[in-house]
Amino acid sequence: MSSDLSKSAYDHLWMHFTRMSSYENTPVPTIVRGEGTYIYDSNGKKYLDGLAGLFVVQAGHGRRELAEVAAKQASELAFFPIWSYAHPKAIELAERLAGYAPGDLNKVFFTTGGGEAVETAWKLAKQYHKLTGNHTKYKVISRAVAYHGTPQGALSITGLPALKAPFEPLVPGAHKVPNTNLYRAPIHGDDPEAFGRWAADQIEQQILFEGPETVAAVFLEPVQNAGGCFPPPPGYFQRVREICDQYDVLLVSDEVICAFGRLGTMFACDKFDYVPDIITCAKGMTSGYSPIGAAIVSDRIAEPFYKQDNTFLHGYTFGGHPVSSAVALANLDIFEREGLNQHVLDNEAAFLKTLQKLHDLPIVGDVRGNGFFYGIELVKDKATKESFNDEECERLLYGFVSKKLFENGLYCRADDRGDPVVQLSPPLISDQATFDEIEQILRSVLTEAWTKL
């Protein structure tokens, strides 16, 4: 059966972000079941899910109650749009998300995923400024190497040139500033606070360079994913908030990965003590049991849309889907009942400490991140922080590390968007036994990888 599945996958299933030619003569890994922190393939082999699917399965695999809630809702009301109508689960979920969100972020615009939430936020920012008399404010600022999604607008905001090149020209007006990679800081590398101030001030410089009258919004992840989990330096977001307020620029906290417990708080902006104008979120809202996303908007930004005949001419067929909304509510019940956020806060230091044991390997340059979200940067020379060239990355990261980790029973991400990193983001139910298993598999594979150079 597995060989038939694999052939059918190659013949008909166009996998996302996948070099399809690599499966011409190689079986396609096919995952058939999940339980807790583990997944199982079509041959019955067990793997530790070190990435929570794709930063998604917060509550773990095999939660029967979430499946049952989905079935119950589908039998009552499987679908109805929220285009000029409402249904109970979307109303209840919107109210609940508004209750979790900081400040006056009380308006919830549902999408079906994170890229759509980012697209929504940019369109919303543009129209908000037009409705408030600032017709020339349309540009956005984001960070180098950051990933914000695949729709044309979200891809423009993304700071990964290789991902954008095949689809250019993209939406005009998206500009980039340095990210918060302290390990490779061009200045103040020995002073996180000074580096944070410098990095934030680059946003002000970009606003001034473009002209404050042209800049609509700044899009930032609390912990930047692409490049390998860059946490914000102390004071960074406080300074960014000041800058945005000074120049009437909206601050969008892109929390598609970081929300819903990934860092130990429902929304990651709370962890770093700032209040954005819009939060974009998705992934962990349902722990992946059904697709949903949202842009959560402050009352101040929503206000002009609630006047006269003003309308936000934007929407998605499946936004706020009844089944997804019901599953999200049940998932958030699990968060509260089992204290998943507190579990992450109680265990994040132990996870980091366990991963930091890998510093004794010559190939490990940096271990960084926050909560249950960490990146391990691989280097050729620890002393100089010399990285691998393209050929070495291809041979080592894709040709060996990625495959070997999976063979050894660890599903995670080995990536070179930016510098070569291994990323880890296990389900929030993980404990010390999970951390130890991750560290042991990584140690074995990375030790062998060093001999392949």
Side-chain angles (χ1 to χ4, degrees):
M1 181 184 175
S2 59
S3 60
D4 290 343
L5 275 177
S6 178
K7 183 179 186 313
S8 186
Y10 177 73
D11 288 345
H12 304 292
L13 179 63
W14 198 333
M15 289 172 284
H16 299 196
F17 282 97
T18 298
R19 193 180 297 176
M20 292 301 294
S21 63
S22 64
Y23 290 120
E24 186 175 3
N25 301 302
T26 304
V28 175
T30 304
I31 304 304
V32 299
R33 187 169 70 85
E35 191 64 41
T37 57
Y38 292 95
I39 51 175
Y40 299 81
D41 70 14
S42 52
N43 298 311
K45 186 175 176 182
K46 176 181 175 182
Y47 306 85
L48 178 61
D49 184 357
L51 206 60
L54 196 63
F55 318 104
V56 170
V57 191
Q58 317 296 60
H61 297 276
R63 292 277 190 167
R64 188 172 296 276
E65 67 187 275
L66 296 182
E68 289 170 352
V69 162
K72 182 174 183 290
Q73 180 59 45
S75 68
E76 291 175 7
L77 180 68
F79 174 76
F80 205 78
I82 51 174
W83 299 46
S84 302
Y85 295 85
H87 57 77
K89 294 304 179 186
I91 298 168
E92 190 181 342
L93 180 58
E95 183 180 8
R96 191 149 175 189
L97 293 174
Y100 289 137
D104 70 339
L105 276 75
N106 290 313
K107 304 292 190 288
V108 180
F109 190 100
F110 284 118
T111 68
T112 56
E116 289 178 355
V118 170
E119 196 83 359
T120 297
W122 190 4
K123 289 178 75 174
L124 190 82
K126 286 181 178 180
Q127 190 175 352
Y128 163 78
H129 286 300
K130 284 182 169 62
L131 290 176
T132 53
N134 298 308
H135 292 267
T136 58
K137 276 183 171 282
Y138 71 93
K139 296 176 185 174
V140 289
I141 293 169
S142 57
R143 295 185 292 205
V145 196
Y147 176 82
H148 292 282
T150 56
Q152 293 277 299
L155 188 57
S156 301
I157 297 170
T158 290
L160 294 155
L163 259 61
K164 300 196 289 186
F167 311 108
E168 290 173 330
L170 293 169
V171 181
H175 302 275
K176 307 297 176 286
V177 294
N179 57 46
T180 59
N181 183 358
L182 183 64
Y183 183 65
R184 297 195 176 277
I187 188 172
H188 303 305
D190 57 348
D191 185 341
E193 201 162 327
F195 172 62
R197 175 74 185 214
W198 173 84
D201 284 346
Q202 300 311 298
I203 294 172
E204 181 180 36
Q205 291 304 309
Q206 190 69 37
I207 291 170
L208 292 171
F209 181 77
E210 294 299 327
E213 72 283 358
T214 71
V215 180
V218 174
F219 282 72
L220 303 172
E221 295 168 278
V223 174
Q224 182 175 317
N225 170 41
C229 304
F230 305 142
Y236 174 80
F237 275 108
Q238 287 67 37
R239 176 62 184 138
V240 172
R241 181 71 268 182
E242 286 176 6
I243 292 165
C244 289
D245 289 342
Q246 183 177 349
Y247 298 105
D248 189 21
V249 171
L250 306 192
L251 174 55
V252 181
S253 188
D254 184 358
E255 305 199 11
V256 171
I257 288 176
C258 292
F260 306 112
R262 184 50 52 195
L263 307 186
T265 49
M266 205 58 87
F267 291 110
C269 51
D270 285 336
K271 184 126 189 214
F272 302 118
D273 194 27
Y274 66 97
V275 179
D277 299 298
I278 303 173
I279 293 172
T280 55
C281 57
K283 295 183 183 291
M285 195 190 306
T286 63
S287 286
Y289 284 71
S290 193
I292 197 166
I296 308 174
V297 185
S298 81
D299 289 335
R300 178 178 71 89
I301 305 308
E303 185 184 13
F305 293 90
Y306 278 64
K307 289 181 175 177
Q308 296 141 0
D309 61 351
N310 294 336
T311 305
F312 186 34
L313 298 172
H314 176 68
Y316 299 101
T317 300
F318 297 114
H321 190 280
V323 174
S324 295
S325 298
V327 171
L329 288 162
N331 179 58
L332 295 171
D333 287 344
I334 291 173
F335 265 78
E336 296 187 358
R337 187 173 71 239
E338 298 185 10
L340 291 185
N341 285 330
Q342 191 58 48
H343 177 76
V344 172
L345 295 176
D346 291 344
N347 289 276
E348 62 176 341
F351 190 16
L352 177 59
K353 187 177 179 182
T354 304
L355 294 177
Q356 285 175 333
K357 292 179 183 177
L358 297 168
H359 270 305
D360 66 350
L361 301 178
I363 199 171
V364 173
D366 194 28
V367 179
R368 56 180 177 252
N370 196 279
F372 275 17
F373 185 36
Y374 292 104
I376 299 168
E377 183 169 335
L378 308 181
V379 293
K380 194 155 58 173
D381 187 317
K382 281 169 94 93
T384 64
K385 302 182 184 179
E386 182 186 357
S387 192
F388 301 98
N389 61 36
D390 289 346
E391 184 276 328
E392 289 165 335
C393 266
E394 180 71 27
R395 180 164 50 84
L396 194 71
L397 213 59
Y398 295 107
F400 180 77
V401 171
S402 188
K403 294 174 183 175
K404 199 71 174 176
L405 286 170
F406 193 65
E407 280 176 22
N408 284 22
L410 177 62
Y411 165 72
C412 62
R413 171 183 272 179
D415 196 6
D416 67 343
R417 297 181 301 174
D419 295 298
V421 292
V422 175
Q423 279 186 296
L424 298 155
S425 167
L428 307 187
I429 58 173
S430 300
D431 56 18
Q432 188 60 50
T434 314
F435 310 152
D436 289 339
E437 186 175 353
I438 289 171
E439 190 269 341
Q440 286 156 19
I441 295 172
L442 282 168
R443 177 171 296 279
S444 169
V445 172
L446 294 179
T447 299
E448 190 177 350
W450 184 251
T451 69
K452 303 282 183 187
L453 276 175

